Amino acid sequence: MFIKMKEHVTQFNRVTRVNGDVALTHQESRLNPSKSNLNQTEHGHGSVITGIPIVTFKWHHVETPYLVALWILVAGLGKLVIEANHHVTSVIPESALLICFGFILGGIIWGADKVQTFKLTPTVFFFYLLPQIILDAGYSMPNKLFFSNMGAILIYAVIGTCWNAASLGLSLWGCHKGGAMGDLDLGLLQYLLFGSLMAAVDPVAVIAVFEQVHVNEVLFIMVFGESLLNDGVTVVLFNVFDAFVSLGGDKIDAVEIIKGIISFFVVAFGGSLVGFVFGLLISLLTRCTKNIQIIEPGFVFVLGYLAYLTAEMLSLSAILSIVFCGMCCQKYINSNMDERSVTTVRYVMKVLANGSETIIFVFLGISAIDKEIWVWNTGFILLTLLFVLVYRFIGVFFLTWILNKFRLVPVELIDQVIMSYGGLRGAVAYGLAVMLDENKIKEKNLMVSTTLIVVYFTVILQGITMKPLVNWLKVKRAAVGELTLIEKVQDKVFDHMLVAIEDISGQIGHNYMRDKWNNFEEKWMTCILMKPSARKNRDYVFKVFHKLNLKDAMRYVTEGERRGSLEFVRNETAFIDFKKKFDDDFSEVMPDIMADTSDDYSDTSDMRDPVPSVSLEMHEQTMNGMRPLEDVNSHHLLQQHLYKGRKQHRHRYSRSHFDVNKDENEVQEIFQRTMRTRLESFKSGKMGVAPLKHITKHLKKDQQQKVRASEFILLDNLHYNNNIRAFSEGDSASGFEASASSFPMRVTYRAGAGIENPAFMPDLDPMAQVQIPPWLAEAEVDSSMVAPSQRAQLRLPWTPSNLRRLAPLRISAHSTDSFMLADAPAAQQRDNDQLPPPPPPPAPPHGDHM
Amino acid sequence: MGSSNSSVNNIPNAQELMQETGFSAAHILRLHERFEFLDKHKCGQLRPQDFGAVQELALNPIGDSIISAFFSPGQETVDFASFVRILAHFRPTDRNQSRDGAQQEPANSSIRKLKFAFQMYDQDRDGKISRAELLQVLRAMLGIQVTEEQLQSIAERAIQEADLDRDDAISFDEFRKSLEKVDIDHKMSIRFLR
């Protein structure tokens, strides 16, 4: 894979080089029209027209977009290769690996070109790569957590960053004066400028590392929130010092300094304000996008980006702007937009953010392989590294010490260590360093290379050691738990309770403020920004409830597929009893099966787990990202295995609607086929081969448990009976009527998921597991009509009675229970008769085909 | 400091209260001021109406339950000592539990906190949260947007989640188990009472 890619890259570089000349000359030619004809003939771009060219090669025509696309591809492939091996990524963080991948690529390019053609330029970084990462961070920010730690975060972000900048700048300057780094053309202001660009903890690097280490949520939000906000702060500081440097040391007086400080606050708060306004705009806009649902996710991105650009245009803090934009709008757009649009926004956001993160790291690596930028000054570089680390520790410890005097839950010592150690520097620092003006700062290259070294040091070394450190210090991890309703309810109760107690004791505290804000928001913001319809079901607890139910529904579908039948949905009451009995009595009889079921549950929880899941919403989202994936999987399965009408492969393309195939004939066909398979299944059912086999086996297994075993039989027969049921008089009629009359309605029931097969009855379900081509269907029905394995049948739904709400209304149409009870003894009788030699299964008809 | 001490001395049983609840003199003093402020009739006792006079409390969906938590069953009034004892539930837990012997669990221990929260639901104090009781709390909190049916099913589901012995009610143990992952100390503490 790697080698292939290398080849690919080298090839592509050769192409670039060759065609680079062409492009260059071509540009020249445009400047110089008189020569252009000549030039073109010379290069023979098929422009000496002797006839109509069938194919022309126009590299320069597509060069830039082509290169961009290619780089995205290469970065993506790099990530693919890196992520292929989990053993490596569990030790070395992905960001570090990506940087190393960048080294290799850079080496190849250098080898081919002898010059670094590709670099991370500040324009590309700040305009095209950074915004989506920050927007994503803001959009998926756990607001409540963020605001309840807002004070601490602001203190770390503002004061901490200023401290870092000032201390680093001053110390380096002091060391310079002391003669530690030889002859450098740098003054105090330049050092401070350098300090300010080095000061910020980088959100990209921090997210990348901390996502893999599941620390507790308070610690995470502090590091993460700080890294987001202090980016804004550094950029502001950087600009102020940059202005100072251009102004020159002599002209700076008290007035200028005060102006600098004022501008600092204006830039920071102005940026946030712009973001806030744009956030409101997005919310307002999504209120009325009902008719253009297909493009409504686009608004979020476009307006978010505009917020960034607007702030940049007004020379306010663009990063703060887009953070706040994302944070403001998340709540409203999530409830205003259609659920599918919300999912789209989430996914696209993740795709963009993750993609540009990858590209950034790869390019950080590539940029290193360039002779031009490397200027080595041991003193300067090592001292910078040392000071960055030491002052980070000092700053964090000092600020936490102050904060702990006021915090309800003090930040513990271990957390402080991790916070300090998590002070990773990243691409923002590099971007700023590259932006330095060479005319004003003679030692620009030294600064750039130092920045790169600091970045590598922090991202790679600290990134790698972070996880062992967290383990070693036994940092409190995030509790990963199942979402439960009662916890959420209790959360609410706690909130109300604290407010009430504050009211009673007459204190204006944190809870009081939050309550006031909530009331205000309830009263005004939601009114203006939310759709009336969305306002209705926005209640938090209700949403959780809804989510849980959805999850259950999905679980039932998976369950049904595994068991080969959705039958249990209908007989839920029977199953509750069954489950109880099962839990109580059978665990000692059949430990293997118990283990099996429990296995099953741990399986599902595992599936949710592999994604980083500090249970912040940010992570929750990735977690959720997995869940829909499961959902999609089962959807996919369903869709694939549902009956397909002959005419289904007829695509109607529409840019704005997802249509469901509602063709009349097709529905007819499904119906007919359903009938046929029912007949078939009846036939095989009557012979009773498959189910009986299982029962017998079971009876043999624990004969002493006869009473309970008979319950099993009952259940097994349930399945069996239902095959027959369709054909027992009266019942069959109603059953068919029911399904027939519900046809048109049910077909339109669900958009986007193919045809909702009204005939997706439990007794047909085995069909769904083996996809059978229509021409074989008839013959194969018998063989496929094997009852689901015992094991499958024992996999029980989690809380079956929940299904009362989820189950289709049809359940109650006829009482299965009474029927079942009437039929059961007879069936059992028969079982016992046939117990010793289970009748050999009839020769499977598909043998003829094979 | 001297003046505050002298006024603490005016409060009956102040020392014992401080001993019992772990509040500092300043806390007791502040709470006493508040108590007297709420005590419109100056009789040293608060009645439910006095609490009702707090405007925000009237808006609080579970305000009534909280008020009633201040009154031990059968009593119409609450004096200052009990008032403080109730509030002591909300004092952040001391990290360095230096209480010697601790004859009784301090009010701010997480188990007592939880017990207090449990009482929010358990209005009839029978040690179980019945479906009706849970429903009542839910109804108060969820407001009008959620229909009664949905409310019912939410309550049912919540009970199912917690109910381990399937008696269709949540006992205190079940309640505690279901909230195992929640940081009670954190959630039921108020900063200024530290």
Side-chain angles (χ1 to χ4, degrees), chain A residues 55-70:
Chain A
V55 176
T56 49
F57 184 71
K58 299 192 277 188
W59 164 251
H60 66 276
H61 185 63
V62 294
E63 182 178 356
T64 319
Y66 204 93
L67 282 182
V68 170
L70 220 53

Side-chain angles (χ1 to χ4, degrees), chain A residues 404-410 480-482 484-487 489-494 496-507 510-512 516 535-536 538-539 541-542 545 548-549 552 580 798-799 801-802 804-805, chain B residues 30-31 34 38 51 54 56-57 60-62 66 70 83 87 90 92 95 116-117 120-121 137-138 141-142 145-146 150 153-154 156-158 160-162 166 170 175 178-179 181-182 184 186-192 194:
Chain A
N404 272 351
K405 291 191 179 304
F406 300 100
R407 281 179 66 84
L408 174 63
V409 185
V480 184
E482 191 109 335
T484 63
L485 196 60
I486 191 134
E487 262 175 37
V489 171
Q490 192 53 42
D491 251 15
K492 272 262 205 183
V493 171
F494 280 140
H496 287 307
M497 196 153 59
L498 291 187
V499 181
I501 294 296
E502 278 189 0
D503 287 339
I504 287 172
S505 47
Q507 301 287 330
H510 178 75
N511 295 297
Y512 178 84
K516 277 273 167 277
R535 235 174 287 151
K536 232 177 173 177
R538 126 199 78 123
D539 189 279
V541 174
F542 185 70
F545 174 64
L548 281 170
N549 274 345
D552 274 6
K580 256 195 221 165
W798 177 48
T799 46
S801 68
N802 279 328
R804 192 171 297 153
R805 293 184 295 281
Chain B
R30 209 188 310 162
L31 290 177
R34 182 66 184 173
L38 290 173
F51 285 105
V54 183
E56 289 88 357
L57 208 52
N60 197 314
I62 56 168
I66 288 168
F70 276 84
F83 180 73
L87 287 181
F90 293 90
R95 264 169 308 146
F116 187 86
M120 288 289 98
Y121 298 96
V137 176
L138 282 174
M141 288 198 315
L142 289 179
Q145 300 126 351
V146 181
Q150 288 167 327
S153 44
I154 292 180
E156 191 185 326
R157 169 140 202 161
Q160 255 175 25
E161 276 176 1
R166 294 178 194 277
I170 304 176
F175 185 70
S178 68
L179 294 181
K181 294 200 201 87
V182 181
I184 302 292
H186 188 167
K187 294 258 165 143
M188 259 185 77
S189 299
I190 292 179
R191 185 166 45 190
F192 68 87
R194 193 164 119 182

Side-chain angles (χ1 to χ4, degrees), chain A residues 593-611:
Chain A
I593 297 178
M594 283 306 279
D596 212 48
T597 39
S598 54
D599 234 336
D600 182 25
Y601 292 139
S602 63
D603 267 354
T604 45
S605 62
D606 273 352
M607 272 167 86
R608 231 167 292 118
D609 257 352
V611 190

Side-chain angles (χ1 to χ4, degrees), chain A residues 559-784:
Chain A
E559 193 62 39
E561 278 166 4
R562 191 165 37 220
R563 293 149 60 93
S565 149
L566 277 172
E567 183 51 35
F568 64 93
V569 171
R570 296 194 202 180
N571 301 295
E572 37 152 340
T573 41
F575 261 90
I576 288 179
D577 292 345
F578 174 64
K579 185 180 181 187
K580 256 195 221 165
K581 287 249 161 39
F582 186 69
D583 282 351
D584 299 344
D585 311 334
F586 277 68
S587 47
E588 75 278 2
V589 188
M590 286 173 293
D592 54 326
I593 297 178
M594 283 306 279
D596 212 48
T597 39
S598 54
D599 234 336
D600 182 25
Y601 292 139
S602 63
D603 267 354
T604 45
S605 62
D606 273 352
M607 272 167 86
R608 231 167 292 118
D609 257 352
V611 190
S613 44
V614 182
S615 63
L616 299 177
E617 236 138 72
M618 239 199 58
H619 296 278
E620 204 178 346
Q621 199 179 341
T622 30
M623 246 163 44
N624 287 344
M626 278 311 275
R627 246 172 255 157
L629 210 74
E630 288 171 46
D631 300 356
V632 167
N633 277 342
S634 30
H635 267 302
H636 185 67
L637 258 173
L638 254 184
Q639 204 173 359
Q640 249 190 353
H641 295 305
L642 279 178
Y643 289 93
K644 287 196 176 99
R646 275 184 200 127
K647 289 191 185 166
Q648 213 204 9
H649 295 287
R650 173 202 45 189
H651 293 289
R652 235 190 269 142
Y653 175 75
S654 161
R655 212 189 289 249
S656 53
H657 293 289
F658 299 112
D659 258 342
V660 193
N661 202 345
K662 296 175 196 163
D663 190 75
E664 194 54 35
N665 291 336
E666 200 172 304
V667 172
Q668 273 296 318
E669 163 149 355
I670 289 170
F671 179 67
Q672 279 167 10
R673 248 205 268 173
T674 308
M675 295 286 280
R676 197 170 57 208
T677 36
R678 276 188 175 212
L679 266 166
E680 298 291 342
S681 68
F682 172 64
K683 257 189 248 158
S684 69
K686 199 148 198 181
M687 289 181 207
V689 175
L692 281 184
K693 187 171 155 202
H694 281 271
I695 291 161
T696 348
K697 190 170 138 211
H698 186 219
L699 277 177
K700 267 182 198 159
K701 197 168 172 184
D702 35 50
Q703 261 169 348
Q704 76 276 33
Q705 302 276 347
K706 247 187 184 146
V707 188
R708 285 168 202 146
S710 67
E711 274 165 24
F712 260 98
I713 296 169
L714 234 157
L715 279 161
D716 259 4
N717 277 331
L718 262 180
H719 180 85
Y720 170 59
N721 288 335
N722 274 300
N723 294 342
I724 310 177
R725 195 198 57 199
F727 283 84
S728 64
E729 305 86 339
D731 202 1
S732 71
S734 70
F736 279 133
E737 263 164 37
S739 55
S741 64
S742 61
F743 252 33
M745 183 180 93
R746 304 208 74 215
V747 174
T748 51
Y749 173 51
R750 219 199 116 83
I755 290 180
E756 176 83 1
N757 191 341
F760 189 58
M761 294 291 218
D763 35 349
L764 302 170
D765 200 38
M767 284 290 291
Q769 293 194 326
V770 194
Q771 198 180 9
I772 298 162
W775 58 91
L776 285 180
E778 217 165 304
E780 252 184 10
V781 158
D782 277 355
S783 65
S784 64

